[in-house]
Amino acid sequence: MPEKDFVACQAAIEPQKGPRRLVDAAIAGTAVAALCVAFAVGLAIRQLPYFVVYLAAAIAIALLLRRGPMAGIAERVGAAFGSSRPTAVGVLVLALAAYPILFQGNPYLIQVGALSAIYVIMASGLNITLGYAGLLDIGFAVYFGAGAYTSAQLAVNFGVSFWIGIVLGGLCASIFGFIVAWPALRVHDHYLGLVTLGYGLMMNLLARNLRFLTNGTDGVINIPPPSIGAHDFTRPLILGPLTLPFQANFYYLALAIALITCFVSYRLRESSLGRAWEAIREDEIAARCSGVNARGMKILAFSTGAFFGGVGGSIFAHMIGYIGPDSFTFLESITVLVMVVLGGAGNIVGAALGAVLLVIIPERFREFQELRLLLFGVALVLLMIGRPQGILPRRRARRLLPQEKLAALSLGEAGPGRNARASSDGTLGA
Amino acid sequence: MPRNLLWTERLTIDFGGIRAVDGLDLEVRRDEVLAIIGPNGSGKTTLFNLIAHLYTPTSGKIHFGNPPVDLAKYAAHEINALGVARTFQTIRLFPNLTVVENVLIGMNARLKGGLISAVLRPPRTRRQETEAEEEALEILSLFGHRLISMYNEPAFTLSYANRRRLEIARALASRPKLLLLDEPAAGMNPNETREVMEDIRRIHEGGRSIAVIEHDMNLVEGIAHRVVAMDHGVKIAEGSYREVRADPEVIKAYLGSGANASGMPASGART
Amino acid sequence: MLSENWAQQIVNVATIGGMYTLVAVGFTIFFGVLGLINFAHGEVFMLGAFAALVVARTLDFTSTAGGVAMIAAMFVFATLFCGVVGAAIERVAFKPVRRAPMLVMLITSLGVSFILREAVREFFPDGANPLAFPSPFQSAEIRLRGVVISDTQILLIAASVLIVIGLYYLVERTWIGRSMRAIAEDRDAARMMGVDVDRVILAAFFIGSALGGVAGVMNGLYYLSIRFDMGWVMAIKGFTAAVIGGLGNIYGAAAGGYLLALLEVLIVALVPEGSEYKDVLVFLVLILMLVFRPSGIFRQAPQKVG
Ligand SMILES: Nc1ncnc2c1ncn2[C@@H]1O[C@H](COP(=O)(O)OP(=O)(O)OP(=O)(O)O)[C@@H](O)[C@H]1O
Ligand SMILES: [Mg+2]
């Protein structure tokens, strides 16, 4: 691969200024808004045949944008996203906030929205373990269960408030992540997958058998809903002139926590911790020899990911009012795993998208309750063959060269010896 | 100040039946470039793996620094923090990380901050990151435009020679007192090899002690202050390049292993 | 009395262990040639049982001779059916992702597993419920100093032992076995040495899946009841056995199956409330093996770095 002229390289990632920047923001904002509208339309379609047509059209457009004549448009929009991320995120958050207002006549859809947000939290958690650090965890439901049982039992038996319970639930889940991290220090890849799988199955069996902790197969019932001051989450949400169905309470709760989760996992990825995680994923031995504490970082990855799993479980338990061993089975672990891989491991928006799709699409096919898992299987195989990297794979941010330093180094055209070699490298490089 | 930066004491390791390093006493002096030579399978890479504590010695000790510590008591990443950085014979980069990110990983042991500062990103953390990037740029500039022009490209897109350079850059980012290079010129053409030689010289002038494993005798002659020859895990000769090359044990070792072009050149090598 | 009890347990171990072994061998073969944990293998096992059920329902048997013919027909049909299904899965699902990262293959195999299981549940008549599995045996028992061995058990033990011996010949003496071992060692090197990798992998899937099918028929004959979701439990037992023997090690898997069965029987016999916690301990064994003896109980391979 010939080396590019680095000045040209720099120009491409120079921050945009003036009108171009405004145009970019407009494009990005419009694109997000358009996607949200398209998504809302999909939700609003009631008859299944129409929905199938809609889905086919969506996939067709996505394919056209990738390869077909519209690829240019996609590229332009992609560039706009790159330079005006805050605008895009802002529009998205507004749209998400407007969702319960738009669908206030349909509490069921609001509930599905809340469930999606819960799964976004969990997928973001697994994205840290699997996407960043590359640690295969097929027992993620354990953390969901740990969080759910902790805050549920605390609330039911000791009247502990949900707001404390959710934190304790997350922490308890991280302990379960911490526990499995120890064996995980010694095994890799498939073996790690099998260890976590065995761990998940074992914990589920224990939850069925350790009745004094979990009430066995009966589970924990009548889990009280959260409340803020006098406002109980089972009562309608009144926002000025608007009265939203009570599900909106849970929706906004889960949405807020999901957004925080995404922000946290974004910051983590862009930090030296995130870099160290990715280095372990890429080559653990090289990472260790470069000063990365692989043991510590792996434990941290498992515990952090598990924390979010626990938070998700906690919200779930208080929303549904029930938690039992059947709520965190192997299938649950697989679902979260597939969400991350389907969306694009390592990419936050990808994992979130995977979560939303995997909650909403099966809900849309409820008429085919019986065939759901069959179709799920078919979809998995097709996706893995067609797009194994996920819908939105991770794209690395381009860093701006430290300009002052670059000038100070006076690499310019000086140093004839090195420069001459630089120009001949294209032919020398293997 | 003791003369030695690192020294091993009857260092031994067994792999099943094979004794890959056998009672080795070897020293790396402060501020020198030491070349380690020896036929294939003589235990050179294994020695580096022992120093880096990827392998735990069966017996013996590895002392490093002043006051000296026993490296076998430290984990691999701690050894990096103590001031030993290395490259690998089979290049081990982080292929999907960009060039600059690869270098930044080399600084990992030095960068401070846990979960909280990663999430809140206080000014201190931001400053640290900027400084790290500046330092990374400076290290990359050691290789002229070659790596800087690929600053934001994933490492897997680099040419073979540039991968080797990036590995060195990553090791330098750890600000090592001792740099271990495992066959830095392997697979390179004569031009590139000459360039590697210059690079190593420049790195040494920057004030680092270097131990380099190398089969290319021109390179060894060009840079080494001292040469150690190994065979079957044992040190068979030690001294200046001329002394070692003339040593009958060394000649025998190379002949015994079926000397080839990459092995010991005939006397009167090119200058 | 106690010793008779133990002798009885050993007969049970030999029976159940034979089934575990056959399933474990499949896991180990797939892992050897593709580096894949094939989650769909449990479902292939289940298909074996259902295929035999179809045979039993189609044919009719009354006499003893008819019974023997029936058993033979069940085994032959289920073996071929599962072999073909396994080979088809390899071609359709695994071949396209053969070079993809491990996780992609893993999820693909999960997808296949969902498809097979749900297809049986949905499309087999009354497939969502446990189905009675007809046995051609009159349940003749042999009593040996108080130890009861049914004719079914004799058949199952004999069959699994014979198959393991046959497998030995296959692996050691035939081109397929040698090629399989070469591919397990290094796929690219094997290709360069002139091994037709595609064909051998296909054959490996046929063989592994066929063995799973045999185990499925045995399971039906032994428990006399089958269900669409029986594959999952067997899959876990099977790969635990394979892990005990060392994934990729065919003889290890054979031994692992019997060892796992022995372990289960011991737990139930010795631990109070053992049957409730039996599976917990199986998972614990799985985890401990993976962590402390990842290459199985028989050998230990060092890792090379740098
Ligand atoms: N992890 C290991 N397990 C078993 N044997 C090993 C291991 N690492 C090295 N060896 C053996 O130790 C001996 C020395 O190997 P080493 O890689 O150190 O040689 P080397 O001098 O670096 O050779 P080369 O010049 O080919 O790189 C060889 O026989 C090798 O097979
Ligand atoms: Mg070597």
Side-chain angles (χ1 to χ4, degrees), chain B residues 13-16 18-21 36-49 55 89 182-183 213-215 230 232-233, chain C residues 301-306:
Chain B
I13 185 166
D14 294 335
F15 293 114
I18 306 165
R19 180 155 288 196
V21 171
I36 301 168
I37 65 168
N40 294 114
S42 55
K44 306 181 295 292
T45 299
T46 305
L47 171 67
F48 276 14
N49 286 339
Y55 299 154
Q89 183 173 352
D182 196 344
E183 302 197 17
I213 296 174
E214 190 49 66
H215 283 299
M230 286 179 67
H232 293 111
Chain C
Q303 264 197 340
K304 211 173 149 119
V305 292

Side-chain angles (χ1 to χ4, degrees), chain C residues 31-289:
Chain C
F31 189 84
V33 295
L34 270 196
L36 164 74
I37 308 279
N38 181 9
F39 278 109
H41 190 45
E43 268 55 53
V44 171
F45 157 86
M46 174 270 294
L47 284 182
F50 276 82
L53 180 62
V54 170
V55 170
R57 284 185 180 175
T58 318
L59 304 179
D60 194 30
F61 59 91
T62 35
S63 65
T64 317
V68 172
M70 166 74 49
I71 297 259
M74 278 178 170
F75 273 112
V76 169
F77 181 67
T79 308
L80 290 178
F81 180 72
C82 290
V84 170
V85 168
I89 293 173
E90 198 281 323
R91 268 297 118 96
V92 176
F94 294 143
K95 194 166 175 225
V97 298
R98 204 181 277 172
R99 298 256 163 203
M102 156 214 57
L103 188 57
V104 169
M105 289 209 285
L106 204 93
I107 292 185
T108 307
S109 81
L110 275 169
V112 174
S113 138
F114 282 135
I115 295 173
L116 297 181
R117 184 170 58 236
E118 294 301 314
V120 168
R121 190 175 71 119
E122 202 50 36
F123 301 122
F124 198 87
D126 204 19
N129 297 317
L131 300 175
F133 195 91
S135 170
F137 287 110
Q138 264 68 72
S139 249
E141 286 171 1
I142 300 170
R143 285 174 186 278
L144 258 175
R145 303 230 216 127
V147 178
V148 185
I149 310 178
S150 70
D151 42 12
T152 311
Q153 280 182 311
I154 294 177
L155 173 79
L156 299 188
I157 294 171
S160 50
V161 169
L162 280 178
I163 289 174
V164 170
I165 294 172
L167 206 62
Y168 170 82
Y169 273 94
L170 185 85
V171 171
E172 297 291 333
R173 302 286 158 84
T174 66
W175 70 270
I176 290 192
R178 276 193 296 271
S179 313
M180 263 165 33
R181 278 184 294 151
I183 291 175
E185 199 70 36
D186 185 336
R187 197 192 305 166
D188 291 318
R191 191 190 303 279
M192 280 189 284
M193 308 265 282
V195 176
D196 185 347
V197 172
D198 280 357
R199 223 170 104 202
V200 175
I201 291 180
L202 195 66
F205 267 80
F206 183 92
I207 296 166
S209 304
L211 293 177
V214 173
V217 184
M218 290 184 166
N219 197 280
L221 286 172
Y222 189 56
Y223 294 110
L224 300 178
S225 164
I226 63 176
R227 226 178 103 138
F228 74 98
D229 59 358
M230 65 196 272
W232 173 231
V233 179
M234 187 49 103
I236 294 175
K237 300 283 166 71
F239 73 58
T240 305
V243 166
I244 291 176
L247 272 176
N249 177 349
I250 292 181
Y251 308 125
Y258 290 104
L259 279 173
L260 182 66
L262 177 67
L263 185 80
E264 284 189 355
V265 167
L266 284 180
I267 291 168
V268 176
L270 299 178
V271 181
E273 287 184 72
S275 53
E276 219 160 287
Y277 289 96
K278 184 182 77 180
D279 286 348
V280 175
L281 287 168
V282 169
F283 299 141
L284 201 61
V285 168
L286 173 66
I287 294 174
L288 294 178
M289 281 298 305

